[in-house]
């Protein structure tokens, strides 16, 4: 019961949280002392001092709608800076043309126009401005929509000539963006100044703000001829509107569902760009290549920003209930390189390092300084060396395809017979159960170097709809390994290896007709059950992607038998082994030790496992796996299991996950229908352990247990309400103490991120150093989903437990309150 209560309390507690209160300023701002909201005022003052030294004219830091810290300083300034300054407001604070920060404000105006029914973002710009607004052919111009202008994918050069078809290339382009102003004026009959005041600035008290003609903009310059002038405090008001999802003092200014789209990835070419807003924590296009470094690696991943030249910033950070604005001249600590019209500032990273040092980190991540990945390893291998892990990425949205997410199953085999194993992985490519028939089947082609993988796509879209699991074997008997994939929104599909040219030649494929219109396939395996030298497919069909447990119907655990020519999809036949509610597994294993393969199945709705005894000739006898001494509160569904004789009695035992976070050992009785014995190997509450695999991690001659968990918060952002006490993405292993010990194995935590879904593990010595490395898939973590491997490192002195692959990733967390690293 303690595990259920722990899990439920974490969910309930998370559910009780609400967004921190926002106090909206009227004419005057309220103030809050940093210490009152958990910030360190001394370190906060150091951050402001740094900003002052970096040519800042104004920095305003707002927490919960109240000014927590600010500074306003004179700046001698460059000639460019002087051309962008106007005057001071009544309080003596500088008013400046905020350069490209104006784009983000215009995005809000476009959203308001859309909600008023004045604009269709998918309509052609020419529908509003007429033909000839650009320097391209009429058909090319007609293809450019308002969304293309908002997302910087118009395909135009700065002089509005043709570069690429609309939507095919991301390029920061102010002249193209600036056409949104005339569009707004056309549909409203108002000047940009009038509609900005009526729709926005007057409603939220931006009294220092307005548009002015830029006298310095000359024909041919990539610059808007109008500039938005404002103060740092006024921009903070705009940030508060964003933070409150379009509401102001209880009144909706903009529908939240429309406003949110401005600060979500607007396209896959540069995921760090929304609709005229910049996004942290997303792959970022720099020099024509995507990088995972992020805009500001030292800042929270949920940060989004309005950015302008000379280091002008409006930062919105929901996880900290924080708004930060910065105006002034270019910081001294800035590279002289400009990417996409935004300075690549050292200032940003240093400033946010200082802000994060002053912040109440526990509110953000649950004691970040105690993240288990940063602890020194205290576990040793058999030869006395300390064990730690280094993460390496094999396939993800940066290395592979931009919409890769929801990664699930993977298998390894030498597909092209070059002497190196390749990886076939499957990816649902979603962050929610929305029923869209999308997905990917990917191949990572191996080489002598485990850091180098050639990546290709075997299938995508409807034929790989929510691809969930993959199995490999030579089905047609030609000596080359073929592929079968289970799709959670569709069917079973067979891919036939073309042979020696498998890297380049097309793979023929067929959907098994008998698997069509059957709902959701969750697991698939290939094995030779009748000893004829040809494998059959074992598969579990759970009926639908997200079925209701209460009213779940019976569905099949089956064998699918291939015809002589497996590409004849209509000739595959199904042999039903058994029917349970929400079948969740169908795994081949010689459970009774008689030399042929049996099948172990699981039912999620019934919370039980069972097995089908192979009696020869493709005949099977169903047996229950009764475990009467298992705690009643544990749900042993058999979603992931592994098999070995761990108690030394000569019979194969089962190691299984048990909801919500327990690893169980089920010991097989002598009688096939007898009662199985229960032991608890360990737990990782409140995390929901899902994947489990046996391997000798520490090289001491016995099996250890490697596990991974599912995070339960948002899948596409680091949820601000997710704490260390919630179910999140953990990787760990349980060390076999030997000497017949079957319970309470020491747990060694490796990584614990806010987001992670670790479905499957494979073990190989990839780097050839004599110890086992681990390959796995990761979901629930867009844009960090994909395939990765953990290199096992052995050192004579303790090293950091886990070293991440990416400069920016989902936040590493500590253990829950009251737990300590074993």
């Amino acid at each position: 019961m303690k595990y259920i209560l722990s899990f439920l309390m974490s969910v309930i507690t998370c559910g009780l949280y609400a967004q921190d209160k926002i106090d909206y300023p009227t004419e005057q701002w309220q103030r809050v002392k940093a210490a009152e909201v958990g910030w360190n005022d001394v370190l906060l003052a150091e951050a402001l001092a740094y900003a002052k030294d970096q040519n800042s004219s104004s920095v305003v830091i707002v927490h919960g709608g109240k000014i927590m810290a600010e500074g306003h300083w004179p700046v001698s300034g460059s000639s460019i800076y002087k051309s962008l300054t106007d005057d001071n407001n009544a309080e003596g604070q500088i008013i400046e043309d905020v350069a490209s920060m104006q784009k983000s404000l215009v995005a809000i105006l476009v959203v308001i126009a859309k909600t008023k029914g004045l604009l269709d973002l998918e309509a052609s710009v020419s529908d509003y401005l007429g033909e000839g607004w650009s320097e391209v052919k009429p058909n090319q111009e007609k293809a450019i929509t308002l969304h293309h202008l908002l997302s910087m994918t118009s395909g135009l050069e700065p002089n509005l000539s043709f570069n690429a078809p609309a939507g095919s290339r991301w390029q920061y382009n102010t002249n193209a963006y600036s056409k949104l102003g005339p569009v707004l004026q056309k549909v409203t009959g108002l000047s940009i100044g009038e509609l900005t005041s009526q729709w926005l600035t007057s409603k939220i008290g931006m009294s220092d703000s307005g548009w002015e003609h830029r006298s310095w903009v000359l024909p041919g310059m990539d610059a808007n001829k109008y500039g938005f002038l404002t103060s740092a405090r006024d921009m903070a008001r705009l940030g508060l509107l964003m933070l409150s999802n379009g509401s102001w003092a209880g009144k909706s200014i903009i529908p939240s569902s429309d406003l949110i789209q401005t600060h979500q990835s607007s396209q896959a070419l540069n995921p760090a760009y929304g609709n005229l807003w910049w996004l942290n924590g997303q792959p970022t296009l720099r020099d024509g290549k995507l990088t995972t470094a992020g805009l500001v690696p030292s800042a929270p991943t949920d940060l989004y920003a309005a950015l302008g030249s000379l280091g002008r910033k409006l930062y919105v950070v929901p996880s900290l209930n924080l708004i930060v604005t910065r105006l002034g001249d270019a910081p001294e600590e800035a590279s002289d390189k400009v990417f996409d019209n935004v300075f690549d500032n050292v200032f940003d990273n240093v400033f946010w390092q200082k802000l994060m040092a002053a912040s109440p980190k526990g509110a953000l991540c649950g004691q970040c300084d105690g993240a288990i990945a940063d602890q020194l390893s205290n576990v040793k291998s058999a030869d006395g060396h300390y064990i730690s892990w280094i993460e390496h990425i094999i396939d993800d949205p940066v290395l592979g395809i931009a919409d890769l997410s929801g990664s699930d199953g993977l298998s390894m085999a030498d597909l092209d017979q070059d002497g190196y194993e390749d990886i076939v992985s499957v990816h649902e490519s979603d962050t929610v159960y929305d029923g869209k028939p999308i997905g990917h089947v990917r191949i990572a082609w191996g080489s002598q170097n485990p850091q180098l993988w050639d990546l290709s796509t075997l299938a995508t879209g409807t034929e790989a709809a929510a691809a969930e699991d993959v199995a490999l074997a030579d089905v047609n008997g030609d000596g080359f390994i073929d592929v079968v994939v289970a799709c959670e929104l569709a069917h079973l599909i067979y891919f036939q290896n073309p042979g020696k040219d498998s890297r380049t030649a097309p793979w023929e494929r067929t959907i098994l007709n008998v698997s069509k219109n059957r709902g959701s396939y969750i697991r698939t395996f290939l094995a030779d059950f009748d000893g004829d030298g040809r494998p059959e497919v074992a598969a579990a069909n759970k009926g639908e992607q997200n079925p209701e447990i209460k009213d779940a119907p019976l569905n099949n655990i089956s064998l699918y038998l291939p015809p002589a020519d497996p590409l004849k999809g209509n000739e595959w036949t199904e042999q039903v082994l058994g029917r349970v509610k929400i079948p969740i597994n169908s795994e081949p294993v010689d459970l009774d030790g008689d030399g042929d393969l049996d099948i172990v199945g699981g039912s999620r709705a019934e919370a039980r496992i069972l097995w089908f005894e192979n009696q020869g000739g493709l005949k099977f006898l169903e047996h229950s796996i009764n475990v009467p001494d298992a705690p009643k509160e544990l749900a042993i569904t058999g979603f992931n299991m592994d098999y070995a004789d761990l108690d030394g009695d000569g019979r194969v035992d089962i190691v299984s996950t048990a909801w919500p976070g327990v690893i169980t050992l089920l010991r097989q009785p002598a009688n096939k229908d007898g009662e199985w014995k229960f032991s608890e190997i360990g737990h990782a509450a409140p995390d929901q352990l899902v994947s489990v695999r046996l391997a000798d991690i520490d090289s001491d001659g016995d099996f250890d247990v490697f596990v991974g968990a599912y995070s339960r918060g948002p899948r596409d952002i680091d949820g601000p309400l997710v704490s260390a006490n919630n179910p999140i993405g953990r990787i760990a292993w349980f060390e076999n103490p030997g000497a017949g010990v079957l319970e309470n194995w020491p747990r060694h935590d490796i990584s614990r991120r806010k987001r992670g879904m670790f479905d499957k593990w494979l073990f190989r010595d990839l780097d050839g150093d004599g110890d086992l490395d681990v390959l796995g898939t990761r979901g629930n973590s867009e844009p960090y989903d994909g395939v990765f491997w953990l290199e096992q490192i052995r050192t004579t002195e303790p090293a950091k437990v886990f070293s991440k692959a990416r400069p920016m990733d989902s936040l590493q967390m500590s253990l829950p309150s009251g737990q300590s690293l074993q």
Side-chain angles (χ1 to χ4, degrees), residues 311-429:
R312 288 163 162 77
K313 318 285 182 184
L314 165 60
Y315 291 120
V316 182
V317 191
S319 58
L320 290 177
N321 201 15
L322 197 71
I323 305 296
V324 180
T325 59
R326 186 266 179 192
L327 301 180
D329 205 351
E332 292 292 335
E333 287 194 353
S335 68
D336 55 5
K337 177 183 177 182
V338 177
F339 74 94
D340 303 321
N341 265 23
V342 180
F343 280 102
D344 186 9
N345 290 332
V346 176
F347 166 81
D348 284 311
N349 218 29
V350 175
F351 180 62
W352 273 99
Q353 285 175 0
K354 293 180 179 296
L355 280 183
M356 291 305 296
S359 72
K361 294 182 180 180
L364 175 64
C365 66
Q367 304 167 1
C368 294
D369 291 336
I372 61 176
D374 296 329
Q375 305 300 304
L376 294 180
S377 173
N378 60 3
V379 58
K380 294 183 179 180
S381 62
D383 62 3
H385 287 80
Y386 290 92
I387 296 175
S388 59
W389 306 86
I390 297 177
E391 180 186 40
H392 303 280
I393 306 303
I394 295 173
D395 193 7
D396 73 352
V398 171
L399 297 176
I401 48 182
D403 64 339
L404 187 147
S405 65
S407 306
D408 280 304
L410 82 164
S411 293
M412 290 187 75
D414 186 0
L415 300 178
D416 55 0
Q417 296 188 3
D418 65 351
Y420 302 104
E421 283 194 296
D422 312 302
I423 302 170
V424 183
S425 59
V426 292
H427 312 266
E428 294 185 60
S429 294

Side-chain angles (χ1 to χ4, degrees), residues 58-92:
S58 292
V59 170
V60 175
I61 301 174
V62 175
H63 183 280
K66 299 178 180 180
I67 293 178
M68 184 170 64
E70 68 178 328
H72 304 275
W73 311 281
V75 175
S76 56
S78 62
S79 58
I80 298 176
Y81 172 72
K82 291 176 180 178
S83 69
L84 294 174
T85 57
D86 182 60
D87 202 349
N88 293 347
N89 63 13
E91 296 178 290

Side-chain angles (χ1 to χ4, degrees), residues 765-793:
D765 181 7
L766 281 183
D767 52 7
D769 63 355
D771 55 42
L772 285 180
D773 308 304
V774 188
L775 297 100
T777 54
R778 179 179 171 194
N780 273 19
S781 312
E782 190 177 8
Y784 310 122
D785 290 357
V787 184
F788 67 101
W789 68 283
L790 300 178
E791 178 185 1
Q792 185 178 163
I793 301 296

Side-chain angles (χ1 to χ4, degrees), residues 536-537 559-563 571-575 618:
E536 293 80 35
V537 174
L559 288 183
Y560 293 84
L561 312 180
E571 294 185 10
W572 285 73
T573 59
E574 179 184 12
Q575 178 179 324
L618 295 180

Side-chain angles (χ1 to χ4, degrees), residues 95 208 280 347 352 407 419 427 489 552 554 604 669 690:
I95 294 175
D208 294 334
N280 204 28
F347 166 81
W352 273 99
S407 306
H427 312 266
L489 276 174
L554 294 173
R604 194 177 103 197
V690 176

